[in-house]
Amino acid sequence: MADVFEELLGERERFRPAPSTAWQTVEEWLNLELPTDYKELVNGYGDAIFLGHLFVPHPQGADSLLTFMEEERKDFHAAFEDLRSSSDVPDDVWARVVPWAYHDWNGDLALLIPPLNDPGSSASSGDEDWMVAVAYRQSPEIELFPGGITAFLKQILKESRFPRGWPSSRTEKWKSVEGSPLV
């Protein structure tokens, strides 16, 4: 999987993954195991800005991943509750969505949607069983992208198919957050 990310994003700057205890703390709060490709992405490229606008936190980054997830999940539920019954996000996973990135151009939130067939853990599911969702803040709507993090990034970086309203003219694929303790 690391080879796929290097092909999409270039050479990684993070050579030590977050300690397993940091991931364990996040997964205990979520009450589920995160997909492997997501953890590999964050371990290699987290605490960074993708395409000039998409902030991806890291467990030990300038803004802690756990704090980010806690705050953004709470804000998501408050902002999008009115869409709950009409969105494509299945009701049984609504409470378990996982915020993984924030788009600072327009305030959109990128979410991971756990596999539908696995209520407590993704251990028996593959990374591709997860979905990425984009919660559009400007016009409240939630769009689902099947296939997980890897498929989502391939769609954007290889196929140049961006979620609605996301600037597509950025040439810099990613850069560390200024002052990141990980560099």
Side-chain angles (χ1 to χ4, degrees):
M1 193 61 55
D3 292 342
V4 171
F5 293 135
E6 285 191 19
E7 178 186 329
L8 292 171
L9 298 165
E11 190 174 342
R12 41 190 282 162
E13 289 182 13
R14 318 282 187 260
F15 298 104
R16 286 187 322 249
S20 59
T21 55
W23 283 115
Q24 182 179 0
T25 300
V26 169
E27 291 176 332
E28 284 175 0
W29 179 77
L30 291 167
N31 196 30
L32 57 89
E33 183 180 329
L34 289 164
T36 304
D37 63 345
Y38 168 69
K39 292 194 285 190
E40 286 184 20
L41 173 73
V42 170
N43 277 333
Y45 301 91
D47 203 30
I49 305 292
F50 288 58
L51 299 168
H53 296 287
L54 189 65
F55 168 63
V56 178
H58 185 280
Q60 297 179 306
D63 292 317
S64 147
L65 176 62
L66 180 58
T67 301
F68 171 85
M69 287 181 171
E70 291 170 337
E71 292 172 358
E72 291 300 328
R73 183 190 272 176
K74 179 181 161 195
D75 291 348
F76 167 77
H77 285 140
F80 288 89
E81 183 62 35
D82 290 345
L83 292 178
R84 185 173 183 165
S85 62
S86 63
S87 86
D88 290 333
V89 177
D91 199 53
D92 62 336
V93 298
W94 183 268
R96 299 183 307 125
V97 296
V98 180
W100 68 273
Y102 177 83
H103 200 278
D104 69 0
W105 176 264
N106 54 19
D108 294 343
L109 182 63
L111 304 161
L112 284 169
I113 306 296
L116 302 178
N117 61 351
D118 198 352
S121 167
S122 67
S124 63
S125 299
D127 294 346
E128 68 282 353
D129 294 328
W130 287 71
M131 287 187 277
V132 170
V134 174
Y136 298 107
R137 299 237 190 209
Q138 302 298 317
S139 59
E141 180 185 344
I142 302 166
E143 183 176 6
L144 298 179
F145 298 86
I149 290 283
T150 302
F152 182 73
L153 290 176
K154 282 180 180 179
Q155 173 183 316
I156 292 173
L157 297 168
K158 281 188 122 173
E159 301 168 20
S160 296
R161 294 183 330 171
F162 292 80
R164 185 185 73 236
W166 287 20
S168 59
S169 60
R170 304 298 252 180
T171 56
E172 188 172 46
K173 292 182 180 178
W174 80 282
K175 69 176 184 175
S176 290
V177 169
E178 191 172 315
S180 173
L182 302 176
V183 189

